[in-house]
Amino acid sequence: MPRILFKLGGSLLDQPGLVGRIQEFAALRPGKSVVLLVGGGTAADVVREWDRAQGLGDEIAHDLALEAMGLNEQLLLRL
């Protein structure tokens, strides 16, 4: 089955009715598997603040930002 990759901005996780909107989007693409990549959103913003305050450095900040994206992925899976 052909796939479509859709990047969902992490800031959209705060929007009411998000799951319904994602379902509507997927329904517009019959016969295709929709793959979601969710951004860091507020969780990544926290990492940026920590980096500014604590001087984490690029590598640590990058790793934590990826973990923030993983947290958002887990939220979507549970919704």
Side-chain angles (χ1 to χ4, degrees):
M1 176 180 293
R3 292 184 205 154
I4 293 179
L5 176 63
F6 180 67
K7 199 272 187 176
L8 179 71
S11 64
L12 295 176
L13 294 172
D14 295 335
Q15 298 299 310
L18 177 62
V19 172
R21 291 179 185 180
I22 293 171
Q23 291 169 335
E24 289 171 10
F25 172 80
L28 294 173
R29 282 128 184 101
K32 297 195 169 129
S33 174
V34 176
V35 178
L36 295 176
L37 172 67
V38 64
T42 303
D45 290 341
V46 169
V47 172
R48 289 183 192 98
E49 288 179 29
W50 289 342
D51 186 28
R52 281 191 294 276
Q54 306 301 331
L56 300 175
D58 290 344
E59 188 174 340
I60 293 171
H62 178 75
D63 289 346
L64 289 173
L66 290 176
E67 289 186 36
M69 291 173 67
L71 176 65
N72 290 344
E73 173 192 17
Q74 291 302 312
L75 173 61
L76 271 183
L77 286 171
R78 283 162 174 78
L79 292 176

